[in-house]
Amino acid sequence: MMRVLSPTVLALSVMLGPLHAQGPQFETTQLADGVFQFRFQAHQGLFVVTDDGVIAIDPISPTAAEHFAAEIRRMAPGKSLRAIVYSHEHADHATGADVLRRALGSRAPIIAHTRAHSKIVARANREQPPPDMTFDERLTLHSGDRTLELYYLGKSHSDNMIVAYLPAERIAFAVDFVTNDGVGYRDLPDYHFPEFFETLRRLLGLDFETIAFGHGAPGNRSTIERQIRYYDELRLAVQQAIDRGLTEDQAAQRVTLPAYRDWRGYGDWFPLNVRALYRWMKSSEE
């Protein structure tokens, strides 16, 4: 079984890189001793420092991976790269692994869900090497007193999404299918219904206190409860629109959820969320 690392202390959140209108291009934020969130533009990965080295989750892209490697060297000087985890096969989160490996002088194995392997191989993207190790439901990585657990909780945004969990630190990391007070991405592309709703609920089966995301600020258990409530209320509102005989266009124009107007993406993406649910619900009736 893969060996994992033990905490190296580093106090402050570090912000580096050229500034632009939305803040620094990349930043590293400490979530707990030896646990760091790395952000490049709008995408985020996670890395865990242990006695044996570093485990990195989601290299993001080749350009991001260069900065990711530099931040790992800064936060964990002298530590080797022990493993790379792909949260799922989508290229905007899971390319650049070879850049990360070369920059850190390691041929660390790549870990992903079983179903991600064939998709990545078929894509044949030189910037996305296929995983060396796969699993179906759960994989536990140990190093001294540090444990990292990887879970497949079900279909969500892709059919191979992994959630990472640090039980001692009570920190989880979930990508794309959930976020902190934001509506779903556009018209929920590559979402699997109705399994997505159950996967979202299964997150609460992990005993986390803090949850970091592939996009946006970290949250807590209440964050996930709010996301579940949003999708429950969205489904109800769309079903009521269907029952009234509204077309998809009419539903996209008329369905609103005022309680969520302040959520990220509501203005642009909420009507698209409505369309996605409308199409799925109508197809389920046929």
Side-chain angles (χ1 to χ4, degrees):
M1 187 64 69
M2 174 69 49
R3 300 287 295 170
V4 176
L5 4 168
S6 143
T8 303
V9 176
L10 243 154
L12 299 177
S13 162
V14 174
M15 294 188 182
L16 298 170
L19 294 178
H20 53 74
Q22 316 222 312
Q25 183 186 39
F26 66 94
E27 64 181 335
T28 297
T29 303
Q30 180 168 304
L31 302 179
D33 265 0
V35 182
F36 300 91
Q37 176 182 278
F38 170 76
R39 179 187 61 78
F40 180 79
Q41 296 177 350
H43 288 69
Q44 293 171 160
L46 195 81
F47 65 98
V48 182
V49 181
T50 79
D51 288 335
D52 295 338
V54 176
I55 294 177
I57 305 173
D58 282 354
I60 303 174
S61 71
T63 302
E66 294 177 2
H67 297 293
F68 203 164
E71 291 296 87
I72 288 173
R73 287 195 298 268
R74 177 180 295 271
M75 298 301 181
K79 295 286 187 179
S80 62
L81 184 65
R82 300 298 294 168
I84 297 171
V85 177
Y86 291 159
S87 63
H88 61 306
E89 99 282 358
H90 290 168
D92 64 323
H93 289 271
T95 54
D98 277 343
V99 173
L100 198 59
R101 294 198 283 201
R102 282 195 300 270
L104 295 172
S106 170
R107 284 296 301 171
I110 298 168
I111 302 170
H113 187 266
T114 302
R115 277 194 288 270
H117 187 276
S118 60
K119 296 175 186 291
I120 292 170
V121 169
R123 189 174 294 144
N125 180 352
R126 289 188 302 172
E127 295 180 340
Q128 188 180 41
D132 306 290
M133 180 188 304
T134 63
F135 69 97
D136 291 323
E137 294 184 1
R138 176 178 175 178
L139 180 66
T140 302
L141 310 177
H142 296 288
S143 179
D145 62 352
R146 178 81 78 184
T147 298
L148 174 65
E149 298 173 354
L150 304 175
Y151 287 91
Y152 174 69
L153 299 178
K155 294 179 180 179
S156 56
H157 172 66
S158 88
D159 64 358
N160 57 86
M161 182 69 69
I162 291 171
V163 174
Y165 175 57
L166 293 154
E169 295 79 9
R170 298 184 66 201
I171 294 173
F173 180 58
V175 175
D176 278 359
F177 74 102
V178 65
T179 187
N180 190 343
D181 290 353
V183 303
Y185 178 68
R186 297 186 183 275
D187 64 344
L188 309 178
D190 209 15
Y191 278 60
H192 293 257
F193 302 116
E195 296 93 341
F196 161 74
F197 305 114
E198 292 307 313
T199 299
L200 195 53
R201 283 179 163 79
R202 289 189 192 109
L203 260 182
L204 293 175
L206 301 178
D207 186 26
F208 64 85
E209 186 175 80
T210 299
I211 182 164
F213 303 107
H215 305 275
N220 52 31
R221 299 188 70 80
S222 295
T223 306
I224 306 306
E225 291 166 354
R226 288 194 298 273
Q227 286 270 291
I228 291 170
R229 194 156 53 244
Y230 166 73
Y231 284 107
D232 285 348
E233 293 179 15
L234 176 61
R235 279 191 287 174
L236 177 60
V238 172
Q239 186 61 61
Q240 289 172 341
I242 292 172
D243 292 344
R244 294 200 307 271
L246 271 59
T247 65
E248 179 183 328
D249 287 343
Q250 290 170 334
Q253 292 169 357
R254 299 181 192 178
V255 171
T256 61
L257 290 179
Y260 303 95
R261 287 189 188 278
D262 293 335
W263 275 26
R264 189 173 68 256
Y266 184 94
D268 293 329
W269 294 350
F270 179 76
L272 300 179
N273 284 195
V274 171
R275 288 183 180 277
L277 269 292
Y278 185 100
R279 290 195 292 266
W280 167 64
M281 289 178 165
K282 285 293 284 185
S283 67
S284 299
E285 292 179 350
E286 296 171 358

